[in-house]
Structures are given as C-alpha cells and as structure tokens.
Amino acid sequence: EVQLVESGGGLVQPGRSLKLSCVASGFTFSNYGMNWIRQAPGKGLEWVAYISSGSSYIYYAETVKGRFTISRDNAKNTLYLQMTSLRSEDTALYYCARGRDSYAHWGQGVMVTVSS
Amino acid sequence: IQLTQSPSLLSASVGDRVTLSCKGSQNINNYLAWYQQKLGEAPKLLIYNTNSLQTGIPSRFSGSGSGTDYTLTISSLQPEDVATYFCYQYNNGNTFGAGTKLELK
C-alpha cells in the first residue's frame, strides 16, 4: 500500500524558516516524481513544487520561487521542502503527492502556520 | 492558465445527474484532471487526461471536454458524493480551479 507521511510543520514567525519532510513507503520511491501541494484554511488547492525521480527536473510556483527548495533523498525514501522567508500567506496544509501530472496518491498533510 | 469552475455551489438530490464545469483561460489540450475532496480528507483523483477514469473510481463519474471547456458528470448522485470538486490543468504550468462544492438538496 502506498503511504506518504508528512512531518515538520508547526507555528513559525514571519521571515523564519521551516523544513517539511514526506516519508514514502509501499512503492519504489526513486521511480516517481513528487510534488508539494498546499491548501490555505478554507481555501482551494495550490501546486507548490515538483521534483523528478532523479532530481534532474525541478519546478516551482511563482509564489514560492526563490524562497522554497524542494529536494529528495532516494536512499531514505524521503521528500523535503525547505521553506525560507516565510510569510503569512504561506499558512496552509501542505501535502506531498506522487506523480508528474495527475496525483493518485497524497499524504494526510502537515499544517504550517506563519504568525507572530 | 487560469481555471474558472462553475457553479461554486451546487445543490442536488440523490439520483440526479450532476454536471460541473471548468473553463480555462487558454487551450488546455485535454491535460485536465478532476479531484474530489471530502471534509478533512486529502483530495482524491477521479479523472485524468479529461476522460480517463482513475482505478477504483465508480463509473457514475465521467469527464469530457476539449479546448478550454471541460465537464465532470455524475450520472446518478449518491450521498457519499457530497464533497468539493476541483479541476486541475497541467498543460501549461499547474493550476487548480477554485472548486465546486456539491451538497445534497
């Protein structure tokens, strides 16, 4: 069974940094591209970043480009999102999701709250 | 590409045929998916590439469309279909629509 488990969220002050992790199991992690997708409270979904299976291709939403860094460690079956210069508008539930274009597998999400 | 979903709220009865719309600001070239999100849950993939039904999804769900206009149809609404539905394009960048909330009348 495919499982994606996010962690690392919490309350952080504006301008500070936070690193999210997503541990994958139940499939060969190194074969799949991975994404971070977020959802602000009571709002819709926003795709954040994508990383290909071998980390050769990386894409970001314009809203996070230059502040967030997606990475992965295939030996540890883990996806990361390093978030810096956090803003109040980054407050959201962050999901990791498997796939290049359509996402059949999602984690349960991890909450990030940016507030002073 | 921006996606506009309509209506934003839809009330329907069990057994109704329900149609949700998603319109792109540019040609999407059929690179469109539909997700269902129930309260407190992660989104679930229903349809990809406009009309391909994801494994395990009931056949009452179907997708159609081309160009800029796409539709998700539920042929006979069931109580468990109460959810918010998002369209998502991956033709040019990656964009979700704002969602259609489907409730029972």
Side-chain angles (χ1 to χ4, degrees):
Chain A
E1 178 193 5
V2 173
Q3 285 200 335
L4 299 168
V5 180
E6 303 95 337
S7 63
L11 174 64
V12 60
Q13 293 179 330
R16 302 299 290 267
S17 299
L18 201 62
K19 187 172 186 177
L20 305 183
S21 299
C22 168
V23 176
S25 61
F27 66 101
T28 304
F29 181 70
S30 59
N31 286 351
Y32 290 88
M34 297 292 296
N35 302 265
W36 289 99
I37 295 165
R38 68 185 180 182
Q39 187 169 34
K43 302 295 184 182
L45 299 162
E46 180 186 18
W47 172 84
V48 173
Y50 165 82
I51 184 168
S52 62
S53 58
S55 303
S56 296
Y57 300 97
I58 290 175
Y59 306 108
Y60 296 100
E62 287 298 322
T63 52
V64 307
K65 196 175 290 184
R67 299 188 299 121
F68 290 12
T69 302
I70 189 172
S71 63
R72 62 191 296 161
D73 184 336
N74 286 343
K76 295 183 178 180
N77 291 344
T78 303
L79 174 73
Y80 302 101
L81 185 68
Q82 176 69 55
M83 304 183 292
T84 64
S85 302
L86 282 162
R87 307 166 180 168
S88 58
E89 54 264 38
D90 296 319
T91 293
L93 186 63
Y94 284 74
Y95 295 100
C96 62
R98 190 187 87 172
R100 174 60 185 97
D101 294 315
S102 53
Y103 317 122
H105 300 282
W106 298 61
Q108 83 288 351
V110 61
M111 188 68 201
V112 173
T113 303
V114 183
S115 175
S116 54
Chain B
I1 296 178
Q2 296 182 12
L3 298 177
T4 301
Q5 290 190 243
S6 61
S8 55
L9 176 63
L10 179 59
S11 296
S13 300
V14 173
D16 282 354
R17 182 180 181 86
V18 171
T19 300
L20 284 63
S21 173
C22 178
K23 185 175 180 66
S25 59
Q26 302 174 30
N27 188 352
I28 295 171
N29 288 311
N30 294 115
Y31 293 113
L32 187 107
W34 289 94
Y35 292 87
Q36 175 194 67
Q37 187 177 34
K38 297 182 179 180
L39 199 61
E41 298 183 5
K44 177 190 290 186
L45 177 65
L46 302 176
I47 302 283
Y48 61 96
N49 292 346
T50 296
N51 55 18
S52 296
L53 190 67
Q54 174 64 14
T55 302
I57 301 302
S59 59
R60 64 179 180 275
F61 291 93
S62 64
S64 63
S66 63
T68 60
D69 296 326
Y70 297 83
T71 298
L72 174 70
T73 300
I74 307 173
S75 60
S76 177
L77 185 67
Q78 300 301 303
E80 60 267 31
D81 300 335
V82 169
T84 299
Y85 292 82
F86 296 96
C87 58
Y88 176 67
Q89 72 81 24
Y90 40 95
N91 176 59
N92 183 351
N94 305 72
T95 316
F96 285 94
T100 292
K101 185 175 182 179
L102 178 59
E103 63 178 26
L104 287 180
K105 191 181 295 183

